[in-house]
Amino acid sequence: MSLLMFLLGLVTGAIALPIDEFNVYNYGASGFGEIDDSQAFVNAWRDACIVRTHYARVIVPEGTFLLNPLMFSGPCNPQSIHFKILGTIIASGSPESWHGRDSSQWIAFKDVTGLNVYGSGLVDGQGMHWWDQSCRYHPKLEGCTKLAPTIFKFISCKESTLSNIYIVNSPQTHVLILNSKGFNVDNVMIQSPEHSPNTDGIHIHSSHSVKITNSIIGTGDDCISIGDYTSNIDIANIECGPGHGISIGSLGKNRKVVMVEHIRISDSKLKGTTNGARIKTWQGGQGNVRHITFENLAFDAVYNPIIIDQNYCDVSGTCKEEKTGVKINDVVYKNLYGTSSSKIAINLNCSKYVPCSRITMENINLVSVQEGNQVTASCTNAKGTEVGVNPGSCFRN
């Protein structure tokens, strides 16, 4: 063999490394949506995780697969493990199926590096029965549910992705990214009815270097919510609505110390949402929310297009005044425009003890969704600068 042929062989091998595939049908899955296929998924994942190869792929082919709560755990031997969903995965519609199990989760991945969940399929949490017994909407119902399953949990996953997938009707949050680093979400569609309780689209907590891009999210709660101990979050090209908007928080409940920084939310559209660009913190908390950018956002009939609430309370008027709070500073609002469905289009409700500072507003134009009506700006205990802002002036005091 010539040296050239040998080198070409090395290049070809580097490009076409073998991929071991594990089809759940080969492990006994029925694909009819009436029999529990959980064990077939567990066995396929087990073999994909332990195989000695660079890449492994679990395949969920066309068909309908009924799954009970599952945990897919690592670490795994392959440097990249793919979970390809081509069919439909459904949860049991009965909350009784979670009796004796962790009622906070349905499908979870834990301690996996190089995980890629994707496909043209559908994942349906069948949350309707959970919503019917939610304490949020039925507080007087005996045995009402405070905690319901999340469709996808990614726990302590590194350099991983979720992409090209359709996720619907979660009993509670649709996607949770927890204690993870280097996680990308791209081209996902998440949908639940507008009045479904606590159905956040994507929630990020204790995670770093997360990107969420090119996605359509409409739910009964935040399209995307950012929790505590998060940093370097980049959210772009999102279509949000219905829902509560894109929110940082709530943070600092029960006097917790907060650290959220370097968050950028840009190039997105929000339609018919309760909030637009929101930061919310509880009184009594400590720590910082800083280096936040909201840029190039379009609002269509949004009730609170720009809002900071440093006095957040789950039941308005019931939380006592505290002399400590989470410090909010270095927040930029740039190139934001559209319509407000409330009179107050800009509302910065900051703490008199820990005021918001270094707030920058530039090139903002918000008008009423009702032609002829006027909107206003209300800024309390907030300091900053503004250029080209309508309505203004926010920082006149």
Side-chain angles (χ1 to χ4, degrees), residues 273-379:
T273 55
T274 308
N275 306 287
R278 175 164 68 160
I279 302 173
K280 52 179 178 174
T281 65
W282 292 75
Q283 295 186 82
Q286 300 180 59
N288 292 278
V289 175
R290 61 193 181 192
H291 306 304
I292 312 296
T293 299
F294 297 97
E295 186 173 12
N296 302 332
L297 302 183
F299 305 117
D300 184 353
V302 172
Y303 192 79
N304 297 306
I306 298 174
I307 181 168
I308 293 177
D309 188 357
Q310 222 173 352
N311 302 293
Y312 180 75
C313 182
D314 51 357
V315 180
S316 180
T318 64
C319 300
K320 67 177 183 178
E321 187 175 47
E322 302 276 0
K323 294 187 177 181
T324 59
V326 177
K327 178 66 176 176
I328 298 174
N329 62 291
D330 293 303
V331 181
V332 174
Y333 301 92
K334 184 177 181 180
N335 300 335
L336 310 187
Y337 64 92
T339 58
S340 172
S341 59
S342 72
K343 184 177 180 179
I344 304 175
I346 300 174
N347 187 3
L348 307 187
N349 176 24
C350 298
S351 165
K352 68 180 180 181
Y353 297 104
V354 189
C356 304
S357 62
R358 297 198 295 274
I359 309 296
T360 301
M361 293 189 179
E362 180 181 346
N363 192 24
I364 295 171
N365 187 25
L366 299 171
V367 298
S368 175
V369 72
Q370 298 290 334
E371 188 174 352
N373 287 357
Q374 300 296 314
V375 296
T376 62
S378 174
C379 299

Side-chain angles (χ1 to χ4, degrees), residues 207-278:
S207 295
H208 311 281
S209 301
V210 176
K211 289 186 177 182
I212 304 174
T213 53
N214 307 313
S215 296
I216 299 173
I217 304 173
T219 68
D221 212 299
D222 294 322
C223 292
I224 301 171
S225 56
I226 299 170
D228 200 4
Y229 298 109
T230 55
S231 66
N232 297 313
I233 311 298
D234 190 355
I235 298 168
N237 295 308
I238 305 298
E239 292 185 21
C240 170
H244 293 181
I246 300 176
S247 298
I248 298 172
S250 58
L251 303 169
K253 188 175 183 179
N254 298 324
R255 303 180 180 276
K256 289 184 178 178
V257 179
V258 170
M259 180 51 69
V260 174
E261 59 184 357
H262 299 293
I263 313 294
R264 185 173 187 267
I265 299 165
S266 66
D267 303 296
S268 297
K269 300 177 181 178
L270 298 97
K271 182 176 182 179
T273 55
T274 308
N275 306 287
R278 175 164 68 160

Side-chain angles (χ1 to χ4, degrees), residues 116-240:
N116 299 284
V117 178
Y118 63 99
S120 56
L122 170 69
V123 183
D124 187 348
Q126 303 217 83
M128 292 72 74
H129 293 293
W130 292 90
W131 306 333
D132 288 342
Q133 63 181 38
S134 166
C135 294
R136 177 171 173 177
Y137 289 157
H138 307 282
K140 296 181 180 180
L141 177 67
E142 184 177 354
C144 67
T145 299
K146 293 183 179 179
L147 184 64
T150 292
I151 285 184
F152 278 126
K153 276 189 179 182
F154 298 95
I155 307 166
S156 301
C157 293
K158 297 179 180 179
E159 307 305 324
S160 297
T161 67
L162 173 69
S163 62
N164 305 310
I165 198 75
Y166 187 23
I167 306 168
V168 300
N169 298 329
S170 183
Q172 204 152 307
T173 301
H174 288 74
V175 176
L176 171 64
I177 301 169
L178 176 65
N179 294 328
S180 295
K181 185 176 181 180
F183 200 105
N184 290 352
V185 179
D186 183 66
N187 193 33
V188 301
M189 179 177 285
I190 298 174
Q191 291 185 319
S192 285
E194 183 174 2
H195 298 292
S196 54
N198 303 311
T199 52
D200 293 60
I202 301 172
H203 181 67
I204 309 165
H205 192 88
S206 297
S207 295
H208 311 281
S209 301
V210 176
K211 289 186 177 182
I212 304 174
T213 53
N214 307 313
S215 296
I216 299 173
I217 304 173
T219 68
D221 212 299
D222 294 322
C223 292
I224 301 171
S225 56
I226 299 170
D228 200 4
Y229 298 109
T230 55
S231 66
N232 297 313
I233 311 298
D234 190 355
I235 298 168
N237 295 308
I238 305 298
E239 292 185 21
C240 170

